[in-house]
Coordinates of all heavy atoms in Angstrom, one line a residue:
K1 N 10.3 11.3 11.8 CA 11.7 10.9 12.0 C 12.0 9.5 11.4 O 13.1 9.4 10.9 CB 11.9 10.9 13.6 CG 11.9 12.2 14.2 CD 12.0 12.2 15.7 CE 11.8 13.5 16.3 NZ 11.6 13.5 17.8
F2 N 11.1 8.6 11.6 CA 11.3 7.2 11.0 C 11.4 7.3 9.5 O 12.3 6.7 8.9 CB 10.1 6.4 11.5 CG 10.2 4.9 11.1 CD1 11.3 4.2 11.3 CD2 9.0 4.3 10.6 CE1 11.3 2.8 10.9 CE2 9.0 2.9 10.3 CZ 10.2 2.2 10.4
A3 N 10.5 8.0 8.9 CA 10.5 8.1 7.4 C 11.8 8.7 6.9 O 12.4 8.3 5.9 CB 9.2 8.8 6.9
E4 N 12.2 9.8 7.6 CA 13.4 10.5 7.1 C 14.6 9.7 7.3 O 15.5 9.6 6.5 CB 13.5 11.8 7.9 CG 12.6 12.9 7.4 CD 12.7 14.2 8.1 OE1 13.6 14.4 9.0 OE2 11.9 15.1 7.8
K5 N 14.7 9.0 8.5 CA 15.9 8.2 8.8 C 16.1 7.1 7.8 O 17.3 6.8 7.4 CB 15.7 7.6 10.2 CG 16.9 6.8 10.6 CD 16.8 6.3 12.1 CE 17.9 5.5 12.6 NZ 17.8 5.1 14.0
Y6 N 15.0 6.5 7.3 CA 15.1 5.3 6.4 C 14.7 5.7 4.9 O 14.6 4.8 4.1 CB 14.4 4.1 6.9 CG 14.9 3.7 8.2 CD1 14.4 4.0 9.4 CD2 16.1 2.9 8.2 CE1 14.9 3.6 10.6 CE2 16.7 2.5 9.4 CZ 16.1 2.8 10.6 OH 16.6 2.4 11.8
E7 N 14.4 7.0 4.7 CA 14.1 7.5 3.4 C 12.9 6.7 2.8 O 12.9 6.3 1.6 CB 15.3 7.4 2.4 CG 16.4 8.3 2.9 CD 17.6 8.3 2.0 OE1 17.6 7.5 1.0 OE2 18.6 9.0 2.3
L8 N 11.9 6.6 3.6 CA 10.6 5.9 3.2 C 9.8 6.8 2.3 O 9.6 8.0 2.6 CB 9.8 5.4 4.4 CG 10.6 4.5 5.4 CD1 9.7 4.2 6.7 CD2 11.1 3.2 4.8
R9 N 9.3 6.2 1.2 CA 8.6 7.0 0.2 C 7.1 6.8 0.2 O 6.4 7.4 -0.6 CB 9.1 6.7 -1.2 CG 10.6 7.0 -1.3 CD 11.2 6.5 -2.6 NE 11.2 5.0 -2.5 CZ 11.2 4.2 -3.5 NH1 11.2 4.6 -4.7 NH2 11.2 2.9 -3.3
F10 N 6.6 6.0 1.2 CA 5.1 5.8 1.2 C 4.6 6.5 2.5 O 5.4 6.8 3.4 CB 4.7 4.4 1.1 CG 5.4 3.5 2.2 CD1 4.7 3.2 3.3 CD2 6.6 2.9 1.9 CE1 5.3 2.4 4.3 CE2 7.2 2.1 2.9 CZ 6.5 1.9 4.1
D11 N 3.3 6.6 2.6 CA 2.7 7.3 3.7 C 2.6 6.4 5.0 O 2.2 5.2 4.9 CB 1.2 7.7 3.4 CG 1.2 9.0 2.6 OD1 2.0 9.9 2.8 OD2 0.3 9.1 1.7
L12 N 3.1 6.9 6.1 CA 2.9 6.3 7.4 C 1.8 7.0 8.1 O 1.9 8.3 8.2 CB 4.2 6.4 8.2 CG 5.4 5.7 7.6 CD1 6.6 6.0 8.5 CD2 5.2 4.2 7.4
L13 N 0.7 6.3 8.5 CA -0.4 7.0 9.1 C -0.4 6.9 10.6 O -0.2 5.8 11.1 CB -1.7 6.3 8.6 CG -1.9 6.3 7.0 CD1 -3.2 5.7 6.6 CD2 -1.8 7.7 6.5
A14 N -0.5 8.0 11.2 CA -0.5 8.1 12.7 C -1.8 7.7 13.3 O -2.9 8.2 12.9 CB -0.1 9.5 13.1
D15 N -1.8 6.7 14.2 CA -3.0 6.2 14.8 C -2.9 6.2 16.3 O -3.2 5.1 17.0 CB -3.3 4.9 14.2 CG -4.8 4.4 14.5 OD1 -5.6 5.2 14.7 OD2 -5.0 3.2 14.5
P16 N -2.5 7.3 17.0 CA -2.3 7.2 18.4 C -3.6 7.0 19.2 O -3.6 6.5 20.3 CB -1.7 8.6 18.8 CG -2.1 9.5 17.6 CD -2.2 8.6 16.4
E17 N -4.7 7.3 18.6 CA -6.0 7.1 19.3 C -6.6 5.8 18.9 O -7.8 5.4 19.3 CB -7.0 8.2 19.0 CG -6.5 9.6 19.4 CD -6.3 9.8 20.8 OE1 -7.1 9.2 21.6 OE2 -5.3 10.4 21.2
T18 N -5.9 5.0 18.1 CA -6.3 3.7 17.6 C -7.6 3.7 16.8 O -8.3 2.7 16.7 CB -6.4 2.6 18.7 OG1 -7.5 2.8 19.5 CG2 -5.1 2.5 19.5
D19 N -8.0 4.8 16.2 CA -9.2 4.9 15.4 C -9.1 3.9 14.1 O -10.1 3.3 13.8 CB -9.4 6.3 14.9 CG -9.7 7.3 16.0 OD1 -10.3 6.8 17.1 OD2 -9.5 8.5 15.9
I20 N -7.9 3.9 13.5 CA -7.8 3.0 12.3 C -7.8 1.6 12.8 O -8.4 0.7 12.2 CB -6.6 3.4 11.5 CG1 -6.6 4.8 11.0 CG2 -6.4 2.5 10.3 CD1 -5.3 5.3 10.4
A21 N -7.0 1.3 13.8 CA -6.9 -0.1 14.3 C -8.3 -0.6 14.7 O -8.7 -1.7 14.4 CB -6.0 -0.2 15.5
D22 N -9.1 0.3 15.4 CA -10.5 -0.1 15.8 C -11.3 -0.3 14.5 O -12.1 -1.3 14.5 CB -11.1 1.0 16.6 CG -10.4 1.2 18.0 OD1 -9.7 0.3 18.4 OD2 -10.6 2.2 18.7
A23 N -11.2 0.5 13.5 CA -12.0 0.3 12.3 C -11.7 -1.0 11.6 O -12.6 -1.6 11.0 CB -11.8 1.5 11.3
F24 N -10.5 -1.5 11.7 CA -10.1 -2.8 11.1 C -10.2 -3.9 12.1 O -9.7 -5.0 11.8 CB -8.7 -2.6 10.5 CG -8.8 -2.0 9.1 CD1 -8.7 -0.6 9.0 CD2 -8.9 -2.7 8.0 CE1 -8.7 0.0 7.8 CE2 -8.9 -2.1 6.7 CZ -8.9 -0.7 6.6
D25 N -10.7 -3.6 13.3 CA -10.7 -4.7 14.4 C -9.4 -5.3 14.7 O -9.2 -6.5 15.0 CB -11.7 -5.8 14.0 CG -13.2 -5.3 14.1 OD1 -13.5 -4.3 14.8 OD2 -14.0 -5.9 13.4
V26 N -8.4 -4.4 14.7 CA -7.0 -4.8 15.1 C -6.8 -4.4 16.5 O -7.0 -3.2 16.9 CB -5.9 -4.2 14.2 CG1 -4.5 -4.4 14.7 CG2 -6.1 -4.7 12.7
D27 N -6.5 -5.3 17.4 CA -6.4 -5.0 18.8 C -5.1 -4.3 19.2 O -4.1 -4.8 19.2 CB -6.4 -6.4 19.6 CG -6.4 -6.1 21.1 OD1 -6.5 -5.0 21.6 OD2 -6.2 -7.1 21.8
A28 N -5.3 -3.0 19.4 CA -4.2 -2.1 19.8 C -4.4 -1.7 21.3 O -3.8 -0.7 21.7 CB -4.1 -0.9 18.9
S29 N -5.1 -2.5 22.0 CA -5.4 -2.1 23.4 C -4.2 -2.0 24.3 O -4.2 -1.4 25.4 CB -6.5 -3.1 24.0 OG -6.0 -4.4 24.0
R30 N -3.1 -2.7 23.9 CA -1.9 -2.7 24.7 C -1.0 -1.5 24.3 O 0.2 -1.5 24.6 CB -1.2 -4.0 24.7 CG -2.0 -5.1 25.3 CD -1.3 -6.4 25.3 NE -2.1 -7.4 26.0 CZ -1.9 -8.7 25.9 NH1 -0.9 -9.1 25.2 NH2 -2.7 -9.5 26.5
G31 N -1.5 -0.6 23.5 CA -0.7 0.5 23.0 C 0.0 0.4 21.7 O 0.6 1.3 21.2
A32 N 0.0 -0.8 21.1 CA 0.6 -1.0 19.8 C -0.2 -2.1 19.1 O -0.8 -3.0 19.7 CB 2.0 -1.5 20.0
A33 N -0.3 -1.9 17.8 CA -1.0 -2.9 17.0 C -0.1 -4.1 16.6 O 1.1 -3.9 16.3 CB -1.5 -2.2 15.7
P34 N -0.6 -5.3 16.6 CA 0.2 -6.4 16.1 C 0.3 -6.3 14.6 O -0.4 -5.7 13.9 CB -0.7 -7.6 16.5 CG -2.1 -7.1 16.5 CD -2.0 -5.7 17.0
R35 N 1.4 -6.9 14.1 CA 1.6 -6.9 12.6 C 0.5 -7.6 11.9 O 0.3 -8.8 12.0 CB 2.9 -7.7 12.3 CG 4.1 -6.9 12.5 CD 5.3 -7.7 12.1 NE 6.4 -7.5 13.0 CZ 7.0 -6.3 13.2 NH1 6.7 -5.3 12.4 NH2 7.9 -6.1 14.0
T36 N -0.3 -6.8 11.2 CA -1.4 -7.3 10.4 C -1.5 -6.5 9.1 O -1.3 -5.3 9.2 CB -2.7 -7.1 11.2 OG1 -2.6 -7.6 12.6 CG2 -3.9 -7.7 10.5
T37 N -1.7 -7.2 8.0 CA -1.7 -6.5 6.7 C -3.0 -6.8 6.0 O -3.5 -8.0 6.1 CB -0.6 -7.0 5.8 OG1 0.7 -6.7 6.5 CG2 -0.6 -6.4 4.5
F38 N -3.6 -5.8 5.5 CA -4.9 -5.9 4.7 C -4.6 -5.6 3.3 O -3.9 -4.6 3.0 CB -5.9 -5.0 5.3 CG -6.4 -5.3 6.6 CD1 -5.7 -4.8 7.8 CD2 -7.5 -6.1 6.8 CE1 -6.1 -5.1 9.0 CE2 -7.9 -6.5 8.1 CZ -7.2 -6.0 9.2
V39 N -5.2 -6.4 2.4 CA -5.2 -6.0 0.9 C -6.6 -5.6 0.7 O -7.6 -6.4 1.0 CB -4.8 -7.2 0.1 CG1 -5.0 -6.9 -1.4 CG2 -3.4 -7.7 0.3
L40 N -6.8 -4.4 0.1 CA -8.1 -3.9 -0.1 C -8.3 -3.4 -1.5 O -7.3 -3.0 -2.2 CB -8.3 -2.7 0.8 CG -8.1 -3.0 2.3 CD1 -7.2 -1.9 2.9 CD2 -9.4 -3.0 3.1
A41 N -9.5 -3.5 -2.0 CA -9.9 -3.1 -3.4 C -11.4 -3.2 -3.5 O -12.0 -3.9 -2.8 CB -9.2 -3.9 -4.4
D42 N -11.9 -2.4 -4.4 CA -13.4 -2.4 -4.7 C -14.2 -2.2 -3.4 O -15.3 -2.7 -3.2 CB -13.8 -3.8 -5.3 CG -13.0 -4.0 -6.6 OD1 -12.8 -3.1 -7.4 OD2 -12.6 -5.2 -6.8
G43 N -13.6 -1.5 -2.4 CA -14.3 -1.2 -1.2 C -14.4 -2.3 -0.2 O -15.2 -2.3 0.7
E44 N -13.6 -3.4 -0.4 CA -13.7 -4.5 0.5 C -12.3 -5.1 0.8 O -11.3 -4.8 0.1 CB -14.6 -5.6 0.0 CG -14.1 -6.3 -1.2 CD -15.1 -7.4 -1.6 OE1 -16.3 -7.2 -1.7 OE2 -14.7 -8.6 -1.9

C-alpha cells in the first residue's frame, strides 16, 4: 500500500519478526526499528 501510494520503485523489505533488524543489531524491541542506514559492499 505504501509503495503504491507513493509510487516507490525500490524494494521495501517486510521484517515483522525483526529478523533483519536482529541481524544488523538494530533494536526493534519496541515494535519498530529506529532510523538507521547501512552502506554495504564487498560483504561488509
Side-chain angles (χ1 to χ4, degrees):
K1 291 175 185 170
F2 183 45
E4 285 180 3
K5 182 175 181 178
Y6 297 101
E7 299 179 357
L8 303 176
R9 299 168 292 156
F10 57 92
D11 284 323
L12 300 176
L13 304 180
D15 194 25
E17 304 297 323
T18 72
D19 294 334
I20 301 172
D22 292 345
F24 280 87
D25 290 334
V26 172
D27 182 10
S29 62
R30 295 185 178 163
R35 280 184 219 291
T36 309
T37 300
F38 294 87
V39 174
L40 305 131
D42 305 320
E44 71 178 44

